[in-house]
Amino acid sequence: MNASAGDLFGLPPEDRTSSSYTGYTRAHWEAAADGLLEAAWKWATPGGARLDLPGPPSHSGVRSDGLEGYARTFLAAGFRVAGAGGKDPNGLLERYADGLDAGTRTPGRDDAESWPLILDHHVQGQPMVESASVALGLRLTRPWLWDRLPSDVQDRAEQWLRGALRHVPAGNNWYLFPYTVAGFLESVGRGDAETARARERASELLERWYRGDGWYADGDGRAFDHYNGWALHLYPLLDAHLAGDERESARHGARLREHLESFSLMFGGDGAPLHFGRSLTYRFAASAGVGLGAVTGHTPLAPGVSRRVVSGSLRYFLERGAVGSDGLLTLGWHGPHAATLQSYSGPASPYWASKAFVALLAPDGHPLWASPEEAGPSEGPDRVLSVPAAGFLVQSTGADGVVRLHNHGSDHVRPDEGESAADDDPHYARLAYSTVTGPTSAENTADNHLSVIVGGARSARRRIRPLGSGHGDGWGWAASWHLPVFPAGPSTVPGLRVESVTVARGRHELRVHRVLGAPDGARAELTGWATDPDGPVRSLLRGVHGWEAPEEVRAPQGTAFARWATVPRLGAEVTGTAVLVALASLTAAPEAALLDGVVDRVEVAGDTVIVRWAEDGARTRIAFGPGAATATATATATATVTATVTVDHG
């Protein structure tokens, strides 16, 4: 236990009887919420309308950041008080009531208390984000806050909130902010045609963004990330749950249940969520979907498993410096880490972590808290799971609790957006992510990346076109292709493309790439996982066909997990079409063997690759076609998955 977090928040003693994995109980969650709120409120304005936390401002400015501090902490307070049946021993609701009064008296005025107006997302959009937290906080605490407000304060609050209904959100999960505002207004008898249309529009878009397997794209493109749990599932299901709408709860709940079938595997044995996608400074908000599933009953997980996942995630960050000595959440991952942030990240941004406290809506005695903890999904036998809708391949190893995500389907490129290397995003563009490593910064050598070097310029991977995925017993695969784009000179090379296939077995990753249309003098490079050379996690990369001798390159800016990192790299001269095969491994197991001897035969004939695995004699066959890759693997027993890429394996 990080002494500062335990001492600052007054966490109770561990309970290893009911919580054998984490030691955390519901009392720990309440104490953590109370501690975070008390520390943040020390920075409130005199009227309580803004919490102006210390630190560099976001691109939205100080006034918006102060509103963010109020709104996001209000969400934690809402879950805390509602889950306790209205008990408010720290007088939180009185503070938020006073702040609501002060902030809405003269909205838009440049003074110490007034909230900024809600405008279109490209003009002054951040207040729209915060309006959802204000509305949800008011809805959660209605009997003890809203219903006791003077009517003029209620009217002013409604008028400010309606700005979210009258302005244009960003084209992604932002449409759920007016949806949530409208849901609150309707719940207090202030609904009308305007609130109805806001909810209809968000629902229409949510249906369009649903891709299957319980996963939503965050907008019209192919961005699949933590916004699924802490936004795209959270807002509509929580809305239906609070409204007592059984039909909508069942509809949204079925999707959350399916989402958790794969997402629950994306937490390591140490409690860490995957370091993947944007807004990672929200940290333990990643467990919000798991907590909501337990609260609503829409989950495939036993209560003790849900508890182990959510408490493991909370404890993981409290132990690793997420909270500073002043009790405030820092901007970063463990401690402060600039490369994890976005331009919209401000001092109060980390308090979207408040969404994890949705678990507190399960009262004392609920199965989530009464059931003893059970092992998490990544703590049992080795697993490999494909998520075709998102183009993911999830690989976990029980010996070290490490979870890896092989990304063959999620990017951060809008459909109307060109593929520019200048916009390369390390949190989406890499081939793989994990619970124990982070991507290197944009200024350092890219980890887990296949690049083509032409004329001295190294290519980036932007839009990812999935070719399919599948899995069997203890193994799985995923494939994609991308158009290499370059930061200098012509942005593309005519005819140049890269096709990539990952096959995962145990802790091993077979990485097969076909480079097509490479001009004379081109060179391909493949990198592995970025790790601290003196740390417990080992990164291995070995070429088995087409690659030259490996080298180790440095990433001095490090990652969110390592102050300074090294990256294994392979290289090869390529002209025209080239098929390249490598083995990679990421492990924290102390007795892990090297990659020598993992495969005992590799055959490459034209565009077909056949690999024989030494351990059991299983054979993997990957055949690239003119427009797609086809992969097959055979052993004594077979199972078939048919998609753009087909795989047979025993």
Side-chain angles (χ1 to χ4, degrees), residues 41 47-48 70 74 92-103 138 144-146 149 153:
W41 265 92
Y70 174 96
F74 187 22
L92 294 170
L93 298 191
E94 183 178 356
R95 303 185 208 179
Y96 286 102
D98 290 344
L100 183 72
D101 181 7
L138 291 171
W144 315 289
L145 197 164
W146 176 265
L149 289 174
V153 178

Side-chain angles (χ1 to χ4, degrees), residues 252-277:
H252 293 298
R255 290 183 177 177
L256 177 61
R257 177 184 293 271
E258 190 172 12
H259 175 70
L260 294 177
E261 291 279 4
S262 58
F263 182 71
S264 63
L265 184 59
M266 300 181 190
F267 291 81
D270 58 3
L274 280 167
H275 193 88
F276 169 65

Side-chain angles (χ1 to χ4, degrees), residues 279-554:
S279 301
L280 291 171
T281 195
Y282 301 164
R283 295 182 173 105
F284 46 87
S287 74
V290 179
L292 180 63
V295 166
T296 61
H298 296 292
T299 178
L301 306 176
V305 177
S306 294
R307 179 170 162 198
R308 192 271 177 270
V309 172
V310 298
S311 290
S313 179
L314 177 63
R315 177 168 183 149
Y316 175 85
F317 287 107
L318 293 185
E319 285 184 331
R320 289 168 173 79
V323 176
S325 59
D326 54 5
L328 298 177
L329 289 170
T330 59
L331 280 161
W333 184 246
H334 293 159
H337 187 247
T340 293
L341 310 178
Q342 286 74 40
S343 63
Y344 55 77
S345 302
S349 292
Y351 287 84
W352 243 38
S354 296
K355 293 186 174 185
F357 292 104
V358 68
L360 285 177
L361 292 183
D364 196 22
H366 186 281
L368 178 64
W369 308 114
S371 302
E373 285 184 344
E374 301 179 43
S378 66
E379 293 177 293
D382 294 354
R383 292 182 63 188
V384 182
L385 178 69
S386 64
V387 186
F392 289 162
L393 184 66
V394 188
Q395 175 189 19
S396 69
T397 44
D400 54 12
V402 174
V403 180
R404 310 144 191 88
L405 173 71
H406 302 284
N407 178 28
H408 289 274
S410 178
D411 56 42
H412 203 225
V413 186
R414 298 191 308 270
D416 63 331
E417 191 177 2
E419 297 184 47
S420 170
D423 298 322
D424 182 30
D425 190 338
H427 292 97
Y428 291 92
R430 306 293 164 81
L431 288 162
Y433 298 85
S434 85
T435 56
V436 295
T437 65
T440 55
S441 71
E443 292 76 22
N444 286 182
T445 297
D447 64 292
N448 288 314
H449 179 54
L450 188 289
S451 61
V452 182
I453 303 172
V454 177
R458 183 174 279 103
S459 71
R461 181 188 191 221
R462 292 284 285 128
R463 195 182 304 277
I464 302 170
R465 288 85 165 177
L467 293 172
S469 64
H471 64 268
D473 185 12
W475 74 284
W477 62 274
S480 62
W481 73 273
H482 75 274
L483 181 70
V485 292
F486 297 87
S491 61
T492 60
V493 173
L496 178 64
R497 65 183 265 169
V498 172
E499 297 169 345
S500 305
V501 180
T502 301
V503 178
R505 301 180 86 242
R507 70 176 180 88
H508 300 119
E509 310 158 26
L510 179 68
R511 300 184 179 187
V512 181
H513 301 275
R514 181 170 72 157
V515 180
L516 300 98
D520 292 345
R523 181 175 177 81
E525 287 185 347
L526 175 67
T527 53
W529 299 92
T531 58
D532 181 344
D534 299 319
V537 182
R538 299 175 63 199
S539 169
L540 302 173
L541 182 66
R542 180 174 179 266
V544 295
H545 177 81
W547 293 110
E548 301 165 2
E551 61 178 337
E552 190 175 82
V553 294
R554 299 181 174 194

Side-chain angles (χ1 to χ4, degrees), residues 20-46:
S20 58
Y21 290 88
T22 70
Y24 273 25
T25 64
R26 194 178 190 280
H28 289 81
W29 280 78
E30 289 183 326
D34 291 344
L36 288 169
L37 290 167
E38 191 61 33
W41 265 92
K42 293 177 182 178
W43 301 92
T45 52

Side-chain angles (χ1 to χ4, degrees), residues 132-333:
S133 292
V134 172
L136 194 48
L138 291 171
R139 189 170 185 179
L140 289 164
T141 62
R142 176 183 174 180
W144 315 289
L145 197 164
W146 176 265
D147 288 349
R148 299 178 181 181
L149 289 174
S151 59
D152 64 316
V153 178
Q154 292 180 339
D155 292 343
R156 285 193 271 110
E158 176 188 355
Q159 188 61 28
W160 182 82
L161 287 168
R162 281 189 179 271
L165 313 181
R166 296 166 180 169
H167 290 88
V168 180
N172 53 21
N173 68 90
W174 277 44
Y175 275 85
L176 291 171
F177 304 146
Y179 176 95
T180 300
V181 168
F184 163 67
L185 292 175
E186 291 178 354
S187 74
V188 294
R190 294 178 179 239
D192 55 18
E194 190 172 51
T195 61
R197 183 53 191 151
R199 292 172 64 78
E200 290 168 4
R201 178 59 173 153
S203 297
E204 291 166 359
L205 290 172
L206 200 63
E207 287 304 304
R208 181 180 302 172
W209 296 336
Y210 187 66
R211 300 289 194 263
D213 300 327
W215 285 83
Y216 292 95
D218 190 16
D220 286 344
R222 290 193 56 84
F224 301 97
D225 52 29
H226 287 295
Y227 275 85
N228 265 265
W230 64 42
L232 295 159
H233 283 288
L234 180 78
Y235 288 116
L237 180 54
L238 185 55
D239 173 89
H241 176 71
L242 294 175
D245 188 331
E246 294 184 4
R247 185 178 67 85
E248 284 298 286
S249 290
R251 186 170 72 89
H252 293 298
R255 290 183 177 177
L256 177 61
R257 177 184 293 271
E258 190 172 12
H259 175 70
L260 294 177
E261 291 279 4
S262 58
F263 182 71
S264 63
L265 184 59
M266 300 181 190
F267 291 81
D270 58 3
L274 280 167
H275 193 88
F276 169 65
R278 66 190 179 94
S279 301
L280 291 171
T281 195
Y282 301 164
R283 295 182 173 105
F284 46 87
S287 74
V290 179
L292 180 63
V295 166
T296 61
H298 296 292
T299 178
L301 306 176
V305 177
S306 294
R307 179 170 162 198
R308 192 271 177 270
V309 172
V310 298
S311 290
S313 179
L314 177 63
R315 177 168 183 149
Y316 175 85
F317 287 107
L318 293 185
E319 285 184 331
R320 289 168 173 79
V323 176
S325 59
D326 54 5
L328 298 177
L329 289 170
T330 59
L331 280 161
W333 184 246

